[in-house]
Amino acid sequence: MASSHHRSSLADGRDVLFFQDPDSPAPAIDDDPRPSEARPDSGTLRFDVLTGEWVAVATHRQSRTHLPAAADCPLCPSTPGRHTEIPAADFDVVVFENRFPSLGPGLGDVPAAPISAENLAEAADGEAGFDSSALTAPAHGRCEVVVFSSEHEGSFAGLGQTRARTVIDAWAHRTAELSALPGIEQVFVFENRGEEIGVTMNHPHGQIYAYPYVTPHTTITSARAQRYHAETGRVLMGDVLDFEQNAGERMIVRSEHFSAFVPFAARWPIEVHIVPHRQVPSLAELDEAERDDLARVYPEILQRIDGLYPTPTPYIAAWHQAPVNSPDASAEWLHLEITSPRRAENKLKFLAGSEAAMGAFVGDVSAEETAARLRAVSVATGRAAATTISEGGDR
């Protein structure tokens, strides 16, 4: 059953949406009594002529909240003596515009590249070099925070199937609505977990960035997918899915609607991809049965990752959706990539010379070894109609 939602606004005009579990009553949303403060202007985008990529400059984020105690957490419910970002005494899932956005709050078009590779020479102005105004644009877009629970402690892995489904519905809703905003070219749903990778809020939450351009990574992967489709008539991710299912040795879980596996060329010590069996371009296109299944499979994979070591493992969970205006949507395939730099109980993989400077990764462990370790973790899923892949690679 799909989740329902209610929309309100904060004192400074930012949107806040409350999504409720199917068996929950409508939330009691209060007015935000905090003084209304002017929102910061959008930052700027600067174009790197060496790479052809936009870089966002958002200096106002230097003052954002950093690892507050539970008593000071802005993601917890409001109380009579302390008002937070969420004007309610209790809630299930809440999405609100980030107070310290990397992009926005302004909306509008941004050129994919203000200077093409062919026009670089013409853009230089004699001894003065490049015109900086031609390499700058407003950092249009939208950044949102997705709060998974009113509880300050916990993780996505422990939400339970019903709440995980509510979060998935919130992701789908926001993907659809943000994709329709002026100038938005890509919607990125993600979760950072763990101080080791820079998390500044321990309250269980994720984020959504709506970019005014297609990000560098997606530009590369989409171009490859579109070329493959044009040359073969097949879909690249579909063939990758067949490859992993047939090989079996890197598979972890296969359910009715999703497969989870460690990719053949995994870059990180822990890396798992979750791919729907049906080709869809975005979270908004998942049907009811697929969302139900994802609400079982995704937490199980996180539980397996956490089961590798005695303490919780830091990770980034990144949803790869088709660009809003993809020139060939029939080549795109939604998938989730979960990565962690944890290479041993007390060791992290740091991106040093080869990875950070050259983008040339060196794997610390094999994909097959990581998959075997994840399969060996015992989890209580209560999940039906799915198969945990055996050590021997049966599928």
Side-chain angles (χ1 to χ4, degrees):
M1 181 184 298
S3 307
S4 57
H5 71 278
H6 302 266
R7 186 187 298 267
S8 187
S9 60
L10 299 175
D12 58 5
R14 286 177 291 140
D15 283 341
V16 56
L17 292 90
F18 292 76
F19 293 82
Q20 63 201 77
D21 298 338
D23 56 351
S24 292
I29 305 172
D30 300 322
D31 291 332
D32 184 0
R34 296 175 298 177
S36 178
E37 298 179 356
R39 300 184 65 183
D41 293 333
S42 295
T44 59
L45 297 175
R46 294 188 175 190
F47 189 73
D48 185 344
V49 297
L50 296 177
T51 64
E53 299 170 1
W54 285 110
V55 176
V57 180
T59 57
H60 58 274
R61 284 175 54 80
Q62 283 284 65
S63 60
R64 67 189 185 275
T65 308
H66 182 74
L67 297 176
D72 300 317
C73 177
L75 306 186
C76 284
S78 290
T79 63
R82 191 177 75 87
H83 301 288
T84 71
E85 292 284 70
I86 303 174
D90 196 18
F91 60 86
D92 292 337
V93 176
V94 170
V95 181
F96 63 88
E97 287 186 75
N98 198 325
R99 183 182 175 190
F100 303 99
S102 300
L103 302 167
L107 296 170
D109 293 328
V110 169
I115 301 175
S116 68
E118 293 76 14
N119 295 332
L120 277 177
E122 298 177 12
D125 182 21
E127 296 181 359
F130 296 105
D131 178 2
S132 61
S133 64
L135 303 176
T136 305
H140 291 319
R142 178 73 65 88
C143 293
E144 298 185 340
V145 178
V146 184
V147 186
F148 302 153
S149 167
S150 61
E151 299 294 328
H152 183 71
E153 302 292 337
S155 68
F156 194 98
L159 293 180
Q161 182 182 341
T162 298
R163 178 58 54 78
R165 170 62 197 270
T166 302
V167 175
I168 292 166
D169 285 343
W171 289 339
H173 177 280
R174 300 313 300 146
T175 293
E177 190 164 281
L178 292 171
S179 296
L181 291 178
I184 298 303
E185 294 292 334
Q186 181 181 340
V187 177
F188 175 45
V189 176
F190 65 102
E191 179 196 0
N192 299 328
R193 205 275 289 269
E195 296 177 25
E196 298 90 338
I197 56 170
V199 166
T200 59
M201 295 278 188
N202 286 324
H203 193 119
H205 74 287
Q207 298 184 65
I208 305 175
Y209 277 22
Y211 298 95
Y213 55 87
V214 179
T215 59
H217 180 80
T218 300
T219 296
I220 294 170
T221 56
S222 288
R224 291 185 64 83
Q226 290 160 19
R227 180 175 178 180
Y228 188 84
H229 186 250
E231 293 179 354
T232 68
R234 300 192 304 275
V235 182
L236 181 56
M237 180 56 77
D239 282 359
V240 168
L241 185 60
D242 289 343
F243 168 68
E244 294 294 356
Q245 289 177 343
N246 291 330
E249 58 187 339
R250 291 173 297 277
M251 291 286 295
I252 304 167
V253 167
R254 181 174 179 177
S255 69
E256 181 180 359
H257 298 288
F258 288 88
S259 285
F261 54 86
V262 180
F264 178 76
R267 287 168 167 77
W268 294 94
I270 301 172
E271 183 170 346
V272 179
H273 294 187
I274 301 178
V275 182
H277 296 161
R278 182 173 69 95
Q279 183 188 6
V280 292
S282 73
L283 287 157
E285 301 302 319
L286 293 174
D287 63 27
E288 297 291 308
E290 289 165 334
R291 296 185 192 189
D292 285 342
D293 197 25
L294 180 60
R296 292 186 290 264
V297 171
Y298 181 21
E300 177 184 341
I301 294 301
L302 296 180
Q303 290 166 20
R304 289 181 179 277
I305 290 172
D306 272 346
L308 293 174
Y309 300 105
T311 56
T313 289
Y315 64 77
I316 297 173
W319 281 103
H320 292 256
Q321 308 193 86
V324 173
N325 297 304
S326 173
D328 184 6
S330 60
E332 307 285 354
W333 197 306
L334 170 75
H335 65 285
L336 174 68
E337 296 184 5
I338 307 169
T339 58
S340 174
R342 195 175 195 177
R343 60 186 179 90
E345 182 175 348
N346 298 309
K347 296 178 181 178
L348 297 177
K349 176 184 179 68
F350 292 97
L351 298 189
S354 182
E355 290 96 348
M358 293 291 104
F361 273 72
V362 179
D364 298 282
V365 295
S366 72
E368 293 75 20
E369 177 186 347
T370 300
R373 294 181 64 214
L374 288 168
R375 287 195 298 265
V377 173
S378 177
V379 295
T381 65
R383 173 170 53 78
T387 302
T388 298
I389 307 303
S390 72
E391 186 72 28
D394 296 332
R395 48 196 183 279

